[in-house]
Amino acid sequence: CCGQPAYNSGDRPAAQALARKVLRELADCDYVVVPSGSCGGMLKAHYPELLSEFPELRAPVEWLAARTWELTDFLVNVLKVEQVPGRFSGTVSYHDSCSGLREMGVKAQPRALLARIPGLGLKEMSAPEQCCGFGGTFAVKFGDISARIADPKANTADHFAEHMRTNPFLKELMETFLNVGGRAYVRLDHGWEP
């Protein structure tokens, strides 16, 4: 764990302990590739502030940030993946992860990979960058607000997508919301699920 749950809940000492552990464990890696923009965003965007009171960690934090990639960004910009194996017949929409988009700069990369899948039709939902309401502990702490934020996002998916692709951690939460809201016919997949 990168320490984000503790960080978001205000438990700074626990988040710092986990961040220090992560720094030690990943010190020998050439790349750190994460499937979630929120975990990657924690390493790249929040570790510098979280560990700022430890000047001896400045260089390791900067080193880790420079080597941390969200999965689709790594596939497109580091590995330069040109072909995606398989075939998919259907219309897909992609939901942008708030942290991936805002903290990691992930927008075009998942769409580029999806566009390379034979048979797949990619159609943007309206306001794809709008928050889905489920980030981190927000949905737990503010369930009613979270549901109201998520409803417009779910409504846009209703209109055209048989499948909606998203971050694996948001998948379960959004799937639950869609099913509770009577939208069980919209299937959610994370970006690299066949």
Side-chain angles (χ1 to χ4, degrees):
C1 178
C2 64
Q4 185 185 37
Y7 181 76
N8 288 347
S9 297
D11 189 349
R12 191 172 181 86
Q16 288 174 328
L18 282 167
R20 293 173 79 111
K21 181 178 184 289
V22 167
L23 285 173
R24 286 190 305 274
E25 290 176 349
L26 300 179
D28 295 328
C29 296
D30 294 327
Y31 298 99
V32 176
V33 181
V34 296
S36 164
S38 60
C39 293
M42 184 68 187
L43 300 178
K44 286 184 81 103
H46 298 289
Y47 272 19
E49 184 282 322
L50 177 65
L51 298 172
S52 63
E53 62 198 77
F54 307 102
E56 72 277 12
L57 296 179
R58 182 176 180 196
V61 167
E62 290 174 354
W63 181 92
L64 179 64
R67 285 161 179 77
T68 299
W69 297 83
E70 184 273 342
L71 177 63
T72 62
D73 191 20
F74 184 78
L75 292 172
V76 170
N77 292 314
V78 176
L79 294 183
K80 310 283 188 203
V81 169
E82 292 295 325
Q83 294 181 354
V84 177
R87 180 171 182 75
F88 182 88
S89 295
T91 303
V92 170
S93 183
Y94 184 82
H95 164 66
D96 292 297
S97 151
C98 289
S99 295
L101 180 68
R102 291 166 181 81
E103 295 174 352
M104 301 288 291
V106 174
K107 173 77 175 167
Q109 303 91 321
R111 289 164 175 82
L113 291 172
L114 289 169
R116 293 178 181 132
I117 299 173
L120 184 142
L122 181 61
K123 187 167 183 183
E124 290 289 348
M125 65 177 71
S126 62
E129 296 178 4
Q130 180 179 325
C131 179
C132 68
F134 281 114
T137 57
F138 183 82
V140 175
K141 290 180 178 179
F142 305 103
D144 291 341
I145 296 170
S146 177
R148 283 188 299 244
I149 292 170
D151 199 43
K153 177 73 73 171
N155 285 337
T156 63
D158 281 350
H159 296 299
F160 57 82
E162 300 153 359
H163 297 269
M164 193 160 73
R165 300 248 167 181
T166 190
N167 170 309
F169 301 103
L170 290 176
K171 174 185 183 281
E172 299 302 323
L173 292 168
M174 289 206 52
E175 200 164 59
T176 299
F177 177 77
L178 289 169
N179 286 333
V180 168
R183 298 171 175 92
Y185 51 87
V186 177
R187 178 178 157 200
L188 274 83
D189 302 314
H190 56 72
W192 53 91
E193 187 174 53

